[in-house]
Amino acid sequence: MTTNLPIILKNANADADHVSSSTPLITKRPSDYDQIPCTCGIFLGSQLKSQNITNKSALIISELNRFYNCDTRGQMRCQTNCLEQIMQFLPKSDRIICASSSDDVLNEKAYLLIKNCRNYWINTNLTSGHEYCCKAGRPYKCTNK
């Protein structure tokens, strides 16, 4: 399933340092497992490949201030609510992705990751469906690779 991912806002205070996965790959301290609210994050495909998945590397983070069950159903509710929130930004997604990235972007897809209950990112496998290209914080039309 491919979904266009628009953008929310970047949360500069976020500190968690966990790799994207359905289970945590890095455990920093017991407090990382205190229940946290549903949190949405937008990352580039190159970040997923390099496993550079931290709150600081996210293009956009939005904490929804909603708590869901710590099971598959709760995870799906969190994912659905993240999608609902970010859909409103679809028309501006190119500009928001480019403005949020500190680097130039070349033929990159954006991916939705979530946190639900635990302080680690879960890859939803939902992607923007199109590639982004940015130079100096501004979008431009991607050309074929």
Side-chain angles (χ1 to χ4, degrees):
M1 176 177 170
T2 301
T3 303
N4 286 333
L5 292 180
I7 314 320
I8 311 164
L9 4 143
K10 186 156 186 167
N11 180 351
N13 308 2
D15 309 334
D17 247 23
H18 290 288
V19 175
S20 168
S21 174
S22 59
T23 57
L25 299 178
I26 300 172
T27 303
K28 288 235 167 198
R29 57 193 178 275
S31 64
D32 285 338
Y33 291 93
D34 294 339
Q35 187 172 358
I36 63 162
C38 175
T39 305
C40 318
I42 304 297
F43 295 85
L44 293 175
S46 60
Q47 294 172 304
L48 296 182
K49 289 176 189 166
S50 70
Q51 294 191 348
N52 181 20
I53 307 299
T54 65
N55 284 4
K56 291 178 183 174
S57 67
L59 293 177
I60 295 104
I61 293 177
S62 179
E63 188 175 284
L64 299 185
N65 294 320
R66 295 183 190 134
F67 291 87
Y68 298 108
N69 291 337
C70 299
D71 57 15
T72 304
R73 185 174 176 172
Q75 185 175 317
M76 288 305 297
R77 289 184 69 199
C78 177
Q79 178 178 309
T80 299
N81 280 287
C82 285
L83 285 171
E84 288 173 0
Q85 181 171 359
I86 63 179
M87 292 305 285
Q88 63 186 316
F89 297 99
L90 243 161
K92 300 177 186 175
S93 65
D94 289 352
R95 288 179 282 167
I96 298 170
I97 290 278
C98 292
S100 299
S101 178
S102 58
D103 298 319
D104 289 344
V105 175
L106 181 61
N107 298 315
E108 291 262 16
K109 289 186 178 182
Y111 290 82
L112 172 65
L113 277 67
I114 63 169
K115 290 183 184 184
N116 184 54
C117 292
R118 306 288 185 251
N119 200 11
Y120 60 87
W121 289 106
I122 299 166
N123 188 347
T124 65
N125 294 312
L126 297 176
T127 181
S128 57
H130 76 278
E131 295 177 337
Y132 294 95
C133 289
C134 312
K135 182 100 172 146
R138 297 190 177 268
Y140 67 90
K141 185 174 178 158
C142 297
T143 58
N144 293 336
K145 295 180 186 178

